[in-house]
Amino acid sequence: MKLSVWQQFSSNHSSRFEMVGVFRTAEDAAKAGQTLLDMLREINDWYVANVSGRADIDLHPSPVERALAERFGIKWNDYTLGEWLGFDPEGRGPVQIVNNLVIVDGWESDTGAKPLDDIVRRLGGNAFVDGTLEHIDLAPGAEFPILLEIRPEVSFTLTCRFTSPADAEALLKAITLGYEDAPRGEPFKLHTGTSEITIEEIEYNPTILSLKRARMRPLYGGFRRLLGFLTERGVSQFKCEFFETRSALTMIDQGRNS
Amino acid sequence: MIQDLATHYLNFLPPPLRTIRWRAHPLDGKLLLFDRDSGLNVLLEGDEVAHIRRVAPRALLIAVTNACNMTCPFCYRDLKSPSGWRPDTLLAFCQQADDWGVLELAFGGGEPTLFPDWAGFLTELYETTGLCLNFTTNGTLLSADFLQSIAGKYGQIRLSIYEDNHPDQTIGLLVENQARFGINWLITPAELPGIEAKFGRLYDLGVRDYLFLSYKGSDPALHLRPPEREQLAGFLNDQYRALGSAVALKLDSCWGDALPSVPRLFQSDDCGAGDDILSITSDKHIKPCSFHQTWTGMPFETLADVRAYWEKRRLARSIALIGGCARLPERGLTEEGVVRDEVIRLAAVQQ
């Protein structure tokens, strides 16, 4: 029996992602986040210095990335991260550290989060990816590669502590206003102005609001903005648990991400 | 049952592919498995499937309305055709097509986003069938709300790009909302001088799927001459070398063998019109493809009529009587791009 495999349409025009690395302490996160940022800056600097135009584009990993793969003992992506990395004139890049979380914004990525999740694990964290993790080539060496996109989804339970019961109640109202008119089984929704978060369940006492099994579409860049949004509304502390679900396609993953 | 075929042949697939919920599509002597959510296809060929016979076209191209909010001079449709589909009648028709064994629907028009509650229609059709839903649009009526409401319920949006439908803005909207889309780009001689720059600009905007369309019609100024076809072929080969699998470069089947130096994923001696695909007009006529003139279309009342037509005519390889049809000798054109009327007249007589 002869099998031919191909893709009818591109799985997406880009491979954006947001990755959240969860560390045991804020100190661990700060250290790991800085390591990650320095590494990405090194990759970006090499790419900027060696790729000046479309004719120079080589999507394979750069020498810097090959060295990093060896250093961390991981398998690098088939594509260079330099293709999407960027730092602004003030040197700010796609990494943000918030308490015990290291958040990587892959808004510009065409290649997915791999191997950043493996690096976060090597640095002692637990990595959650929302968006594109990687592409698996089902036909290595073929003239027309078949790339299967692995797209996990992340949900989270966010428990917020407010200093003022009035602030907690105000946010609760923002979520539940009009909810009694919603069709049965509809999740709650919170609009932050830049994102919409769906929330399956809410727990509330006067100063603590827990948003359970929440999803944000898309997560890219949105989680950082959500934390900012909540801070502006009186959240003094938060605790977050992440859960990753995978589509049926990701069952094809051959254990590289465990 | 068609779907039993998928289960029956699952063990022939590599283990990683066995967990996908395939939809089976029998072909003549082959079996196609398709997953509408990923767009993945697996074609099985061999003695084990040699007995299988095709029962339906892969795709129906359905003009859901003849209304459009643009007036493109090169549009192939009959402007006088009425728009006969209503949401309930079109939904029922498409559901019956699903039962028949059709794999995909490609909606067009006119402008399909003008169809009443287009998002609601797509959603209901996706949820009540196993069909892969695609549509071609000028993009002028797309919105973030619309794209979010149909997210995950369609295969691909094809965006037609023209000078006057602000494609950059629409591409930005599609990218921002993570839509799965590609662009349809009509390649005429006027496009060639700036083709590389335009391609790069579209790439920078986020386009990763390009369908290059050939012109079909009687204006010689819009057909590519042999040196221009060579130029296009050279450009395509250069882009593929530079970008590899980062982009999907597609040619519409009407190019036929006009670009022989461009390697293809599929080698075929025919476009498949009337067999692999069937065109359904807004006023309920059947045509082998969209470029057949309306007066050659067969009226129908029910899906059963469509099925009967397809079973009878699918191997006829009907020719669209228009310059640029790949089933015409030299696509019905002289080297200067002039339509050879005698070739078309002969084809009309012989059909």
Side-chain angles (χ1 to χ4, degrees):
Chain A
M1 175 85 83
K2 175 185 165 191
L3 259 63
S4 306
V5 185
W6 72 94
Q7 201 91 30
Q8 184 76 356
F9 39 73
S10 310
S11 55
N12 207 338
H13 57 276
S14 71
S15 299
R16 298 169 168 176
F17 67 90
E18 178 139 315
M19 183 183 73
V20 180
V22 181
F23 290 83
R24 203 173 52 85
T25 65
E27 196 182 45
D28 289 346
K31 216 181 291 184
Q34 190 59 52
T35 302
L36 194 61
L37 193 59
D38 291 343
M39 182 194 81
L40 293 179
R41 189 174 283 114
E42 195 184 343
I43 296 169
N44 183 68
D45 288 348
W46 185 96
Y47 199 78
V48 167
N50 290 277
V51 178
S52 57
R54 190 167 298 285
D56 296 330
I57 289 177
D58 178 347
L59 296 178
H60 296 104
S62 60
V64 169
E65 290 164 286
R66 291 197 291 274
L68 285 166
E70 207 172 310
R71 175 181 146 196
F72 282 101
I74 59 172
K75 183 183 181 302
W76 207 262
N77 201 351
D78 290 336
Y79 302 97
T80 175
L81 301 184
E83 204 270 332
W84 61 269
L85 279 175
F87 286 77
D88 67 17
E90 283 76 46
R92 284 185 295 250
V95 179
Q96 190 179 25
I97 303 162
V98 180
N99 291 7
N100 66 322
L101 305 178
V102 173
I103 304 171
V104 179
D105 179 359
W107 177 258
E108 300 290 337
S109 173
D110 271 340
T111 55
K114 187 63 69 178
L116 299 178
D117 59 326
D118 294 328
I119 292 173
V120 161
R121 291 185 193 102
R122 288 284 190 273
L123 294 173
N126 203 359
F128 297 89
V129 176
D130 190 274
T132 301
L133 172 62
E134 63 177 327
H135 298 87
I136 293 177
D137 187 350
L138 294 176
E143 187 185 1
F144 298 101
I146 309 299
L147 299 177
L148 200 62
E149 188 180 2
I150 309 300
R151 291 181 63 82
E153 293 184 354
V154 169
S155 60
F156 54 89
T157 289
L158 184 61
T159 302
C160 308
R161 184 180 290 278
F162 294 76
T163 45
S164 152
D167 288 339
E169 190 177 335
L171 188 64
L172 180 65
K173 272 195 182 146
I175 297 168
T176 59
L177 190 67
Y179 182 72
E180 59 272 11
D181 295 328
R184 191 181 177 79
E186 277 274 305
F188 296 99
K189 289 195 177 152
L190 172 62
H191 296 271
T192 68
T194 51
S195 307
E196 180 184 88
I197 299 125
T198 58
I199 305 156
E200 295 294 330
E201 195 182 324
I202 299 175
E203 274 183 11
Y204 167 70
N205 75 37
T207 56
I208 297 179
L209 188 60
S210 187
L211 313 178
K212 295 190 157 188
R213 296 189 303 283
R215 284 274 298 124
M216 180 188 296
R217 275 206 154 276
L219 193 63
Y220 333 119
F223 193 74
R224 290 180 295 156
R225 284 197 285 271
L226 171 62
L227 297 180
F229 172 86
L230 294 172
T231 304
E232 284 168 13
R233 278 152 185 79
V235 173
S236 57
Q237 285 180 312
F238 71 87
K239 181 182 161 190
C240 199
E241 284 177 85
F242 291 90
F243 310 92
E244 188 179 280
T245 59
R246 300 217 174 169
S247 67
L249 291 177
T250 66
M251 293 169 68
I252 292 169
D253 184 346
Q254 293 167 29
R256 276 180 280 179
N257 303 315
S258 60
Chain B
M1 292 275 292
I2 293 176
Q3 200 49 35
D4 291 341
L5 288 172
T7 310
H8 183 76
Y9 289 97
L10 216 52
N11 282 339
F12 287 96
L13 303 184
L17 294 182
R18 291 179 196 165
T19 55
I20 294 176
R21 287 179 60 195
W22 297 106
R23 188 173 158 96
H25 185 70
L27 300 173
D28 292 325
K30 305 172 191 177
L31 179 65
L32 179 70
L33 301 177
F34 179 63
D35 173 50
R36 67 175 178 173
D37 293 320
S38 67
L40 206 60
N41 293 260
V42 177
L43 182 66
L44 287 78
E45 299 174 86
D47 291 340
E48 299 89 341
V49 293
H51 64 285
I52 292 176
R53 286 294 168 261
R54 181 162 219 166
V55 297
R58 178 186 177 123
L60 295 182
L61 317 181
I62 302 179
V64 303
T65 177
N66 206 35
C68 188
N69 58 334
M70 293 185 70
T71 52
C72 305
F74 48 77
C75 186
Y76 55 78
R77 79 189 199 282
D78 180 354
L79 299 178
K80 295 193 237 28
S81 288
S83 299
W85 292 110
R86 293 195 320 267
D88 57 338
T89 60
L90 185 59
L91 182 69
F93 178 80
C94 295
Q95 289 167 336
Q96 289 160 21
D98 179 48
D99 290 339
W100 178 16
V102 171
L103 214 52
E104 294 190 80
L105 301 179
F107 295 113
E111 172 50 46
T113 56
L114 287 170
F115 195 75
D117 190 15
W118 184 233
F121 174 82
L122 288 176
T123 298
E124 186 162 5
L125 189 55
Y126 178 87
E127 290 174 354
T128 57
T129 70
L131 292 163
C132 179
L133 310 177
N134 313 277
F135 63 96
T136 300
T137 174
N138 59 38
T140 55
L141 301 173
L142 295 180
S143 68
D145 282 346
F146 170 81
L147 293 171
Q148 290 300 326
S149 68
I150 64 168
K153 297 169 193 162
Y154 64 93
Q156 195 174 45
I157 297 170
R158 305 279 348 161
L159 174 67
S160 299
I161 59 167
Y162 315 120
E163 293 305 317
D164 54 351
N165 67 333
H166 43 81
D168 290 19
Q169 191 178 324
T170 304
I171 291 168
L173 181 71
L174 290 161
V175 169
E176 182 84 14
N177 288 278
Q178 305 170 259
R180 188 154 63 188
F181 77 100
I183 59 147
N184 289 3
W185 185 357
L186 179 64
I187 304 300
T188 61
E191 291 291 316
L192 291 178
I195 194 169
E196 186 166 352
K198 186 168 175 177
F199 182 95
R201 188 171 59 76
L202 293 167
Y203 182 91
D204 290 340
L205 288 171
V207 176
R208 295 293 182 270
D209 184 308
Y210 300 76
L211 173 60
F212 298 96
L213 303 174
S214 63
Y215 168 69
K216 270 73 69 176
S218 59
D219 187 348
L222 300 181
H223 286 288
L224 298 192
R225 298 173 188 196
E228 291 163 337
R229 294 201 296 263
E230 277 183 39
Q231 185 184 350
L232 174 63
F235 163 76
L236 292 172
N237 287 330
D238 286 346
Q239 295 312 311
Y240 181 66
R241 268 192 293 275
L243 297 170
S245 58
V247 293
L249 302 175
K250 300 172 178 173
L251 293 169
D252 84 36
S253 54
C254 305
W255 288 105
D257 56 5
L259 300 168
S261 64
V262 177
R264 317 291 176 89
L265 183 61
F266 303 108
Q267 292 297 334
S268 173
D269 65 348
D270 187 65
C271 59
D275 184 15
D276 204 42
I277 59 167
L278 205 57
S279 176
I280 306 294
T281 68
S282 61
D283 60 347
K284 300 184 77 173
H285 282 68
I286 313 163
K287 298 192 293 182
C289 77
S290 309
F291 298 101
H292 279 64
Q293 301 306 299
T294 308
W295 53 264
T296 63
M298 180 73 66
F300 71 91
E301 290 294 327
T302 65
L303 194 281
D305 297 335
V306 176
R307 184 168 182 165
Y309 171 95
W310 178 83
E311 287 171 354
K312 188 173 174 189
R313 299 276 306 164
R314 70 175 185 107
L315 299 178
R317 294 202 175 185
S318 299
I319 299 169
L321 305 175
I322 190 171
C325 172
R327 285 179 171 163
L328 287 167
E330 313 301 327
R331 297 169 66 234
L333 305 170
T334 66
E335 287 208 347
E336 287 72 38
V338 175
V339 175
R340 296 170 61 196
D341 289 331
E342 70 283 6
V343 168
I344 291 183
R345 273 198 297 273
L346 183 61
V349 167
Q350 288 177 329
Q351 299 226 86

